[in-house]
Amino acid sequence: MAPRTNDGEPERERPASLPAATAPVTETASGEAPGAAPGEAAETADASDTEGGRAAGSAEETGEAPESAADADADRVAAVRRVAAAGRRWRSVQLGACAAMLAVGLTAGAIALGAVRDGGATPVAAAAALSPGLLAGADLSTGIASLQAHLRDQPRDFGGWATLGLAYVEQARTQGDPSRYPQAEQALDRSVALRPDNDQALAGRAALAAARHEFGAALAHADRSLKQNPYNERALCSRIDALVELGRYEEASAAARTADERRPGVPVFTRYAYVHELRGDVTTARRVLDQALAASTTPGDIAYVATQLGQLAWNQGAYDTALTHYARALAADENYLPALEGRARAQAASGRRAEAIQGLENVVARFPLPGPLVELGELYEARGGEGDAAKAEAQYRLVDAWTALARANGVNADLDTALAAADHGDKAAALRAARAEWDRRRTVHTADALAWALHVNGKDDEALPYARRATATGYGNAALLYHRGVIERATGHPDEARTHLTAALKLNPGFSVLGAREARSALKTLEAAK
């Protein structure tokens, strides 16, 4: 499974703070087709642990899932919607009054700031155009259109250009289309030209750099933004993201604590949880995410946090729990891509491969991203029906096409290339990409990618130290444990190989339809040789 990265999560409306004893989390977010000026009309964007026991069935099972399983998923979503509707009824009374007061405040701010524009020589910031809620969920395309209309009237609103840039970053992420990033860069540059020291645009540049996997630049931009405004939520979050993706985990943990003190809220809580998960502290990660979900009020926040809980549960092999969390996410936003992908992955791990294939086919038809493309290709390979080999190969070729598009739009895609090509493409290219990525940043995921690329190229002795480094933090990831076990077997360490292959299958027996099959086969061989 590809690593979770924090490359541009939308800046949500901030919920009430968690209790003081609670610590924070990590995940990032990330917008218009090339050739369109930032002020032009936008295209419509799609809105896009050892918990309870594992679901019946294993990754080895094949065939269509029983009718009751599909009904169970539908019932999960319907039940969550009923409960959520009841909660919304009483919350709407409280939020309505708050929204009315906020609207009055924003209108007053817009009038006051607009009055400064005598002659148009001075940059302005119209607060009414800058609601963070415009960046959330299904409101994204509406928010972009509203900002574009506003900027046609007030082209010197540096805050409006900064918000538009962030919206483009998010649009790029949710649509899986890197061609949106040049528009984000153009809007953010316009904001900086109007007001060089404005923290909003600097924070936007940090989010854009993170979305392009330029994490050193993201850290520098975030630090510049925080120098201007130590409480900028986007900059605080991008700083955590950058440190995580540079492998500087102790600093990331300290940054998460600082962010929680200054701007507690869903974006910070989720990042705090991921920092703890990377260090093997699943209990804290789950507790913080549970509290973040309880504090979430918007559909975008609910879908996002519930999906993080689903991923955490899936990593621990708790597939029923994961499916329940994904149902909660989809009840809030039925088109939320990470929840759709996560549900399909959990279905596949539970033995419901026909449903998983159908779900992933729907996902990649709308968003052909590397992760779901590889997962779908491997499911085709495992099914092995007539034409499935060709279907699988088509998915892997699409990964190459996405990589080319990403690079053409300034995205560093070496990690994606290494992970996909090592198993399903040009092995030499995988190794070149993995080495390049390791030179840029040293994380558990880049260590794993380099170890695996070295292995498939027959360089197991060189691979072993990287495989060990990938698992050194205590991060519970079955794919990393599987890769280490295979490499240990190849380098003549049978006892260690048995330990890590067994651990991978115990932790998450459905971590990969092909990988889990290979892990079981390798264990049988090792046991027979004892």
Side-chain angles (χ1 to χ4, degrees), residues 76-160:
R76 280 187 176 100
V77 175
V80 171
R81 280 183 172 146
R82 286 194 297 272
V83 173
R88 282 195 299 271
R89 280 193 289 273
W90 70 262
R91 276 203 303 267
S92 64
V93 177
Q94 296 174 314
L95 295 178
C98 294
M101 289 187 289
L102 179 61
V104 172
L106 291 178
T107 302
I111 292 171
L113 289 165
V116 179
R117 289 185 71 235
D118 53 351
T122 305
V124 298
L130 307 181
S131 170
L134 292 176
L135 299 185
D139 292 331
L140 179 59
S141 57
T142 301
I144 287 175
S146 175
L147 281 166
Q148 289 168 333
H150 166 76
L151 289 167
R152 281 192 289 271
D153 292 336
Q154 297 195 40
R156 299 189 63 78
D157 177 4
F158 64 88

Side-chain angles (χ1 to χ4, degrees), residues 7-31:
D7 45 2
E9 170 197 325
E11 195 166 354
R12 311 290 190 190
E13 293 179 272
R14 191 160 62 89
S17 302
L18 294 185
T22 303
V25 185
T26 136
E27 290 286 338
T28 17
S30 312

Side-chain angles (χ1 to χ4, degrees), residues 276-520:
H276 277 269
E277 184 187 357
L278 284 170
R279 300 169 70 180
D281 186 359
V282 173
T283 300
T284 297
R286 188 190 309 119
R287 187 188 79 244
V288 173
L289 288 175
D290 280 338
Q291 292 175 300
L293 184 59
S296 297
T297 56
T298 68
D301 279 347
I302 293 168
Y304 175 68
V305 180
T307 297
Q308 297 309 303
L309 279 162
Q311 291 177 346
L312 185 66
W314 183 85
N315 273 342
Q316 309 305 308
Y319 306 135
D320 273 346
T321 301
L323 286 167
T324 297
H325 288 309
Y326 292 132
R328 176 77 180 271
L330 293 170
D333 181 354
E334 63 185 6
N335 295 310
Y336 191 56
L337 173 65
L340 291 169
E341 181 186 348
R343 181 175 68 179
R345 190 186 302 118
Q347 288 169 337
S350 302
R352 296 160 56 182
R353 292 191 187 168
E355 291 173 89
I357 288 173
Q358 183 179 17
L360 286 173
E361 286 174 341
N362 291 333
V363 167
V364 302
R366 295 164 52 203
F367 305 100
L369 295 169
L373 286 168
V374 170
E375 290 161 12
L376 180 57
E378 291 188 347
L379 283 169
Y380 285 141
E381 282 194 58
R383 187 171 65 181
E386 184 178 354
D388 278 341
K391 288 182 179 179
E393 185 59 31
Q395 308 311 308
Y396 306 142
R397 285 198 302 270
L398 283 173
V399 174
D400 294 336
W402 181 92
T403 300
L405 177 64
R407 286 178 172 157
N409 287 279
V411 179
N412 169 19
D414 280 340
L415 184 58
D416 300 283
T417 298
L419 290 167
D423 286 324
H424 307 294
D426 184 334
K427 293 178 173 54
L431 182 53
R432 288 193 298 271
R435 287 193 191 279
E437 194 66 11
W438 178 252
D439 288 342
R440 278 188 288 268
R441 55 193 182 106
R442 304 193 169 186
T443 71
V444 294
H445 295 294
T446 54
D448 172 66
L450 180 52
W452 196 242
L454 287 164
H455 164 72
V456 300
N457 280 276
K459 300 177 183 294
D460 289 298
D461 287 334
E462 188 180 352
L464 185 56
Y466 294 106
R468 288 173 172 167
R469 183 162 177 167
T471 58
T473 68
Y475 176 40
N477 185 295
L480 273 58
L481 292 167
Y482 160 65
H483 289 162
R484 177 172 175 172
V486 169
I487 292 167
E488 285 171 334
R489 178 190 175 204
T491 53
H493 298 84
D495 291 339
E496 292 91 336
R498 274 192 293 272
T499 296
H500 292 107
L501 290 171
T502 300
L505 292 171
K506 181 178 180 181
L507 177 66
N508 184 359
F511 69 91
S512 161
V513 64
L514 299 183
R517 185 172 68 189
E518 292 301 316
R520 291 185 177 90

